[in-house]
Amino acid sequence: MSTNKTLTFSRRAFMRTSSLAGGGMLIGFNLFQACKPKAAPPIDLAQLNYNDFNAFIQIADNGAVTIFSPNPEIGQGVKTSMPMIIAEELDVAWKDVYVKQGVLDTENYTRQVAGGSQSIRQGWDALRQTGATAKQMLVNAAAAKWGVDASELKVSEGVITNAAGETLGYGDVVREAALLEVPEDVALKEPKDYKIIGKDASNVDIDKIVTGKPLFGLDYKVDGMVYAAVVRPPAFGHKLISFDDTEARSMSGVVDIFKIGDKVRGLLEEDPSFSSKISSSDKVVVVANSTWQALKAKEAIKAEWEEDTTIESTEEHDKILTDLLDGDSFETPRSDGDIKKGFAQADDILERTYESPFLPHNCMEPMNFFANVTEEKVHLAGPIQTPAWKAGLVAKMLGREEGDIYLEMTRMGGGFGRRLYGDFVIEAAEISNHIKKPVKVVYSREDDMQTGVYRPAIKYRIKAGIKDGKITAYHLKEAAINDNMYGLIPNFFPAGAIENYQVDMAKYDSNITTGAWRAPYTNFLAFAEQSFFDELAELMEVDKIQLRLDLLDKVKPEEDERIQYSPERMKDVIKMAVEKSGWGSKPKNVHQGFVNYYCHNTHVAEVADVEIENGEPVVKKITCVVDCGIVVNPLGALNQIEGGVIDGVGHSMYGELEFKDGKPLANNFDRYRLIRMKEAPIVETYFIENEYSPTGLGEPTLPPAGGAVANAFKAATGNRLYKQPFTKTPELLKVQEKEIIG
């Protein structure tokens, strides 16, 4: 079963149609009908008399329901979808629900984290239980009021009805219900009875976003607040020797200039696990009355730095990673059978190496955070993916109790893993503690690109042995700068499908800070492995799709608990992708590339359609099939899927950050290439319908995109790609002569 959620008149189609309208505009909707001059003003929630039903739900005497969304909102839509789950089981009308962002509350909430595409998956059962429990207590209160058994009552959209047809709204019984004992066992709805889950819901913040209301960290302000800009080392590994702030101190609006770093360095020396992503170097802080004044004064600081003797350059990293792959200093998180024996007995062996560069996160909203350290409490506010972790680090740095930390989460203008690491939170707290004022730290784009946390450069070497037309040995070797995801990839496909299978990992410890970048590690590995499978199929002279299906037939998760994916669910997305993409039946000028992949608990298959324009391949369309279990908000899910695909296409095509002597060679968008609107393909999305619990969606569609494009480029040009970004080797994007003749 499937549901095609593709929009029939997309923004891209609108823009293209507009450009063809003879200089005019062809508008696909009536603008004036969208205006509602008689619309009732929004309810002033502050004036309502609320009862705190629990940490998630407030119900007012007039029946208005406010649901708190506990997790950070990073653009993945959880501020909409998590309250939808509660509202479904609470049985209220979604149109009558108001949503607020929750603050950090480790007593009442669990896993207040935006990372790993796990918010909905991890919260699914608890959120349903929360809504259902509150509903049962309201029903019990109504039953007591009427003197009847609770089982006789019915509920619909916040109205409780008895057998006689009498009704009570939630607001009529909320006070009594809040005093009742919390029931231990409550009934949860069957998916067939859902009224909210599975229906499109607009982003709850959309009105504020389009009208510019304060939502983001950069919007956050309090009376008496000052602004801080920080002079950081010009290259990784450098240390501050001295600085001259004479000119800066004379500039307008400057409040103070001083050095920080002692507190963080002391903690790192005492406990290296404090945070590996926070620099131990001293930094110079400029505090001013505005962001602009702070940034301008920062430029006037004359700092002297001690240079690191370690060479941290792209060329050196390239050699280091190759040497690691050629060496034998590996950790082996998974080894099945005997790969040496498998390769020794093979009729054919295919071995390929794949390369990826460092990537910055480049969130639209630069890093920023607010702090106000007082004797009574430490008030923090801003965009952070890991609020509890950062609150704990701040408490440790300042020698405070964690209960002293009050942390508000603002909406984030992008995160992609960068805001997992709260170097900017630590800076804000240390600065406020020094000046005894409320302060906001604001990074420039250059600050974040030059001294950020990056996706590590990685090389993969994959080797497969073929015996009697079957893959009998498979060896994956990873060499990475800094980080290895030991638990992430060894048990993904094709683990369990090949008798002799081994994954080895090695790393080089660099001064350059690296960390999670949207869909960590799989964001590149999917391209490498899926390109390799296509090349294997060509060597074996077998159908590319059938090769994958045959491998999946061999996987027995019931016999190997390490296997994290479902072969049956993977086969379902493969088969639907073949059907919906018109695989193998497109006109000769359309070249297709196929990929199937599993990550973040979700199964995905993608097909890229590529056409040749001016002798080069152009990505026109991606057909994407997703099995993410129950889809809570289809509209939000589409946004995540399409954004992930386009992000995957763009970074595999263009993304690259090179280093020389520990310094990035790009520090803004004038030198760092992102995908442009005209280059983004149409994304056609299909869901596998089932009743499995929801799985991740923010990341799983990004990794397969690069592989689908690479395989389609091979079909179009005859050239196989082994290095990202693909434009790094432009000669391989040219069509081979025989292909042109054909």
Side-chain angles (χ1 to χ4, degrees), residues 153-267:
L153 306 183
K154 295 182 179 180
V155 181
S156 178
E157 298 190 340
V159 177
I160 306 166
T161 306
N162 63 20
E166 297 174 303
T167 62
L168 286 169
Y170 280 174
D172 298 324
V173 294
V174 62
R175 291 178 180 274
E176 295 88 342
L179 301 175
L180 295 180
E181 183 178 347
V182 178
E184 292 185 4
D185 297 313
V186 295
L188 300 177
K189 285 186 177 181
E190 295 293 330
K192 64 181 177 60
D193 297 322
Y194 288 161
K195 299 176 182 178
I196 297 173
I197 292 174
K199 306 296 189 297
D200 288 344
S202 298
N203 187 318
V204 294
D205 284 336
I206 192 63
D207 289 341
K208 292 182 179 179
I209 291 172
V210 299
T211 57
K213 297 289 194 306
L215 275 174
F216 299 91
L218 285 175
D219 299 324
Y220 194 91
K221 292 182 177 66
V222 301
D223 291 340
M225 185 177 80
V226 291
Y227 298 81
V230 180
V231 180
R232 300 176 180 85
F236 285 93
H238 284 32
K239 296 180 180 179
L240 181 68
I241 298 174
S242 63
F243 67 96
D244 180 355
D245 61 1
T246 305
E247 181 183 350
R249 282 189 178 276
S250 67
M251 297 176 70
S252 175
V254 172
V255 174
D256 200 358
I257 298 175
F258 52 91
K259 177 174 68 70
I260 62 170
D262 292 342
K263 286 184 176 294
V264 169
R265 188 163 52 255
L267 282 170

Side-chain angles (χ1 to χ4, degrees), residues 453-467:
V453 178
Y454 311 98
R455 183 188 84 168
I458 297 179
K459 286 190 180 184
Y460 287 110
R461 182 170 293 165
I462 309 177
K463 182 178 179 181
I466 303 165
K467 176 70 174 178

Side-chain angles (χ1 to χ4, degrees), residues 114-156:
S117 298
Q118 296 297 298
S119 292
I120 297 299
R121 177 174 176 265
Q122 296 284 351
W124 174 247
D125 289 333
L127 294 172
R128 287 192 299 156
Q129 191 81 14
T130 294
T133 300
K135 171 186 171 181
Q136 187 61 55
M137 293 171 70
L138 291 158
V139 169
N140 290 348
K145 204 167 210 178
W146 279 321
V148 299
D149 192 275
S151 62
E152 299 176 16
L153 306 183
K154 295 182 179 180
V155 181
S156 178

Side-chain angles (χ1 to χ4, degrees), residues 284-356:
V284 182
V285 177
V286 178
V287 178
N289 291 322
S290 72
T291 302
W292 180 249
Q293 290 170 329
L295 291 172
K296 293 303 291 183
K298 185 185 87 165
E299 295 175 1
I301 299 289
K302 298 177 177 62
E304 184 180 356
W305 304 90
E306 177 187 346
E307 296 186 4
D308 188 8
T309 57
T310 305
I311 298 173
E312 294 285 3
S313 299
T314 296
E315 294 79 4
E316 186 68 18
H317 289 150
D318 183 71
K319 182 179 183 302
I320 288 168
L321 293 178
T322 298
D323 290 345
L324 283 174
L325 289 177
D326 291 338
D328 55 9
S329 298
F330 291 96
E331 293 190 37
T332 303
R334 178 160 180 152
S335 180
D336 301 343
D338 186 338
I339 60 166
K340 289 184 178 179
K341 182 178 179 181
F343 285 122
Q345 296 177 347
D347 300 324
D348 287 298
I349 293 176
L350 179 68
E351 183 176 85
R352 294 290 183 262
T353 300
Y354 303 85
E355 306 174 36
S356 70

Side-chain angles (χ1 to χ4, degrees), residues 76 85 107 129 151 186 191 246 273 333 337 340 360 443 458 496 506 522 622 625 648 734:
Q76 81 281 42
I85 298 170
E107 291 186 10
Q129 191 81 14
S151 62
V186 295
T246 305
S273 66
K340 289 184 178 179
Y443 285 37
I458 297 179
T522 60
I622 303 286
V625 176
K734 301 293 183 181

Side-chain angles (χ1 to χ4, degrees), residues 480-531:
I481 300 295
N482 289 334
D483 301 301
N484 291 116
M485 282 288 190
Y486 292 106
L488 182 63
I489 60 177
N491 303 312
F492 289 2
F493 181 76
I498 299 169
E499 180 181 359
N500 304 298
Y501 173 87
Q502 185 165 310
V503 177
D504 288 334
M505 296 179 173
K507 65 174 182 173
Y508 166 73
D509 292 326
S510 167
N511 282 326
I512 298 171
T513 49
T514 59
W517 188 97
R518 192 175 188 179
Y521 291 82
T522 60
N523 56 55
F524 172 61
L525 179 59
F527 149 70
E529 284 195 314
Q530 291 293 310
S531 296

